[in-house]
Amino acid sequence: MKTTKILVSPQKKEGALRNILGINNSTQINDYYHLPERKRLFDELGAKYVRHHDCVGENPGIALVDVSRIFPLFHADANDPKNYIFGPTDDYLSLIPEDMIIEFRFGEQIEHSVNRYRINPPEDYEKWADICVNIMRHLTEGWANGLHLNIQYLSFYEEPNDNFERIFGAPFDEFLKLYVVAHKKLRAAFPHMKIGGPATGYHYDAQTCERFLTCLQQNGLKPDFISGDIYDRNINYIPDKVREIEQLLERYDCQDTEIFITEWHIGPAKWRPFNPKGFFDAEGAAFSASTLIRLMDTKLEGAYFYCWGGASYGLVYVDRELGVAKGYPTYYALKYFTELTKCDARISVTAEDKEDLVDFLAGITADGKAQLLLSCYDAEPCNFEITVPGYSTARLKRIVNGEKFAEETWLPLEKTGDVFTLPMAEDGCGVYFLEFEQ
């Protein structure tokens, strides 16, 4: 087995560590028995951003967030609070930590049904935008016995691309007409909020994004952020796609426009039939950690992992043997990342004989501890020899296949002379969170 030598240099600071983690959806309210455990897991994840798409699917039987579920009778008076059903959405969003930044998506749950029931464009775009304004007044300004949530970003629908007619039931040009009306009304009502889109589908389709930017320019508008979904198994694909969007924004003189990924995770081994290989083991955990590490050196503002509690894609589940809510391995990989971003500064890490499928990121805490996040995604197994000058002891947490419920257990790290030794898991997949003390 080969050896990879890693040098962590706490004295060499390289700027700040950015928490770019976002999450689609939040603590479910349809499982009262496990709600405290689920909320604790959500709060401890440490994501900076949260948005809500397909949250109805995570909370079956409860009408949440979607415009048609908050305002179910479109012919009713949009200015009468009695025509809104705010209660379930208020309860749901009130569970979010106060310091977490919310993007509110005005739109609808995806429909895999025989017919379209909610995703067709509204009959009256001006009225729909007025409804959106009142929903936001309720959630942020207290209108109609409302709330004062930390909503800073606004967007509309999801994956409105041509031929993606399960979330917005019309061609993309029709979405653009609705977007322009809604953007203008919400900008007038909430000038301090950031408005953007288009949450383009699957592979952050640059052509769709270009049509979006062209339309906004023609209407005298500029997006505060641009967004899209990305699913893949290639560890380079997501960062490369973000850099492609960076170049697109430069061409449109939108260098100040923030970049978000609205949905991402390791792509399934096969979409049809669906094969979730790697979703719930160390492979998916390593893909997620490596992706976030690589995104640190792009201009990305935030990446919303999809999703929190969905059965086929989620981060948490109820262990039937223990009778408690638990996190899948990827949950802990994301948590390792956000824990590292709490460090005071990023510090230098270099390696000899490192292959491309091994990623690392390091920081130094306020009390002088050095931390290292090391991720191996289907890599060639090796032994890591880690040197941290001036540091005498170390411990680690790890995510490897075959160690269930061990992701938050601290283990000692062996040291010989000045070198800490860490063997990679034999299958080449693992995430390691190391902490060094002087």
Side-chain angles (χ1 to χ4, degrees):
M1 186 179 291
K2 75 172 187 177
T3 297
T4 297
K5 296 182 179 180
I6 297 176
L7 173 63
V8 181
S9 303
Q11 294 76 27
K12 295 182 180 180
K13 296 184 179 180
E14 298 184 337
L17 286 164
R18 300 184 297 122
N19 185 356
I20 58 174
L21 179 63
I23 186 78
N24 270 280
N25 304 331
S26 49
T27 307
Q28 296 100 312
I29 61 171
N30 70 325
D31 182 9
Y32 182 78
Y33 182 78
H34 297 105
L35 192 150
E37 301 156 19
R38 290 181 183 273
K39 177 168 171 51
R40 176 184 60 80
L41 288 167
F42 184 83
D43 293 357
E44 291 179 354
L45 178 62
K48 181 178 180 180
Y49 299 101
V50 63
R51 68 192 298 272
H52 297 86
H53 174 64
D54 292 341
C55 58
V56 174
E58 292 190 20
N59 296 267
I62 303 179
L64 297 171
V65 173
D66 296 347
V67 174
S68 70
R69 290 174 167 88
I70 295 177
F71 191 83
L73 300 176
F74 193 77
H75 63 273
D77 181 358
N79 292 315
D80 186 347
K82 294 179 181 179
N83 294 323
Y84 292 79
I85 303 175
F86 288 121
T89 299
D90 289 355
D91 292 343
Y92 181 55
L93 300 184
S94 293
L95 293 174
I96 297 171
E98 291 183 1
D99 60 347
M100 202 170 189
I101 298 172
I102 302 171
E103 175 194 325
F104 194 89
R105 185 277 283 139
F106 296 101
E108 303 295 334
Q109 163 89 17
I110 191 171
E111 290 186 341
H112 293 292
S113 49
V114 175
N115 293 304
R116 301 170 186 159
Y117 307 112
R118 298 176 184 269
I119 65 168
N120 287 325
E123 299 173 3
D124 181 335
Y125 291 177
E126 292 284 344
K127 180 174 182 178
W128 188 84
D130 289 336
I131 294 166
C132 294
V133 167
N134 283 335
I135 290 173
M136 198 48 42
R137 289 174 60 206
H138 173 84
L139 294 175
T140 64
E141 296 180 351
W143 180 74
N145 196 29
L147 308 175
H148 293 84
L149 298 175
N150 187 24
I151 297 175
Q152 298 185 21
Y153 293 82
L154 304 176
S155 60
F156 311 95
Y157 285 88
E158 190 94 354
E159 298 178 353
N161 310 49
D162 287 330
N163 302 316
F164 274 50
E165 297 181 2
R166 292 170 297 167
I167 309 179
F168 184 76
F172 186 63
D173 284 343
E174 198 63 35
F175 167 80
L176 291 175
K177 294 176 185 176
L178 174 61
Y179 180 93
V180 169
V181 171
H183 184 123
K184 289 180 177 179
K185 284 221 171 187
L186 285 154
R187 170 67 73 223
F190 307 100
H192 58 287
M193 291 190 182
K194 297 180 180 180
I195 305 173
T200 179
Y202 285 174
H203 293 288
Y204 220 133
D205 178 22
Q207 184 178 12
T208 300
C209 289
E210 191 160 2
R211 290 169 63 189
F212 174 72
L213 293 171
T214 299
C215 173
L216 266 61
Q217 278 191 349
Q218 293 172 345
N219 286 275
L221 302 174
K222 193 171 185 178
D224 296 304
F225 65 95
I226 195 166
S227 60
D229 304 349
I230 314 178
Y231 294 102
D232 209 86
R233 300 184 73 85
N234 183 329
I235 199 64
N236 293 308
Y237 186 81
I238 295 179
D240 287 348
K241 180 60 69 170
V242 170
R243 294 186 180 94
E244 180 184 345
I245 299 301
E246 290 175 7
Q247 295 172 3
L248 175 64
L249 291 174
E250 288 180 4
R251 295 203 303 270
Y252 277 80
D253 193 26
C254 290
Q255 293 91 334
D256 295 334
T257 296
E258 297 175 358
I259 302 173
F260 280 88
I261 299 172
T262 43
E263 297 180 19
W264 71 279
H265 59 231
I266 186 172
K270 194 173 183 180
W271 285 102
R272 300 287 186 274
F274 182 69
N275 178 2
K277 180 181 180 294
F279 277 25
F280 307 115
D281 59 18
E283 182 181 13
F287 178 90
S288 302
S290 288
T291 296
L292 289 170
I293 291 171
R294 295 182 182 214
L295 287 170
M296 287 293 288
D297 294 319
T298 70
K299 295 180 180 179
L300 184 79
E301 179 64 26
Y304 292 100
F305 187 90
Y306 188 91
C307 55
W308 172 247
S312 298
Y313 302 90
L315 291 173
V316 295
Y317 68 104
V318 174
D319 186 278
R320 298 305 174 186
E321 293 181 8
L322 299 177
V324 297
K326 302 289 291 186
Y328 285 115
T330 298
Y331 168 88
Y332 294 99
L334 302 181
K335 187 177 178 182
Y336 291 175
F337 173 81
T338 62
E339 184 66 27
L340 182 70
T341 63
K342 296 176 185 176
C343 286
D344 272 14
R346 183 174 179 175
I347 57 177
S348 171
V349 190
T350 56
E352 296 179 11
D353 196 24
K354 181 189 82 68
E355 68 163 301
D356 184 55
L357 297 175
V358 174
D359 293 278
F360 43 66
L361 187 67
I364 187 164
T365 66
D367 58 359
K369 295 176 183 176
Q371 293 181 343
L372 172 66
L373 178 60
L374 180 61
S375 181
C376 310
Y377 174 62
D378 288 336
E380 179 184 350
C382 71
N383 286 317
F384 295 108
E385 292 186 353
I386 305 169
T387 303
V388 189
Y391 286 71
S392 58
T393 62
R395 59 179 185 168
L396 83 152
K397 296 186 283 190
R398 67 188 180 193
I399 302 166
V400 295
N401 288 322
E403 292 188 1
K404 190 175 182 180
F405 303 144
E407 298 90 350
E408 291 201 297
T409 301
W410 284 106
L411 302 170
L413 191 61
E414 182 181 340
K415 186 181 184 185
T416 303
D418 293 330
V419 176
F420 297 96
T421 302
L422 173 65
M424 186 194 301
E426 293 183 359
D427 64 359
C429 289
V431 185
Y432 309 87
F433 185 76
L434 297 84
E435 187 172 76
F436 304 90
E437 292 193 51
Q438 294 175 321

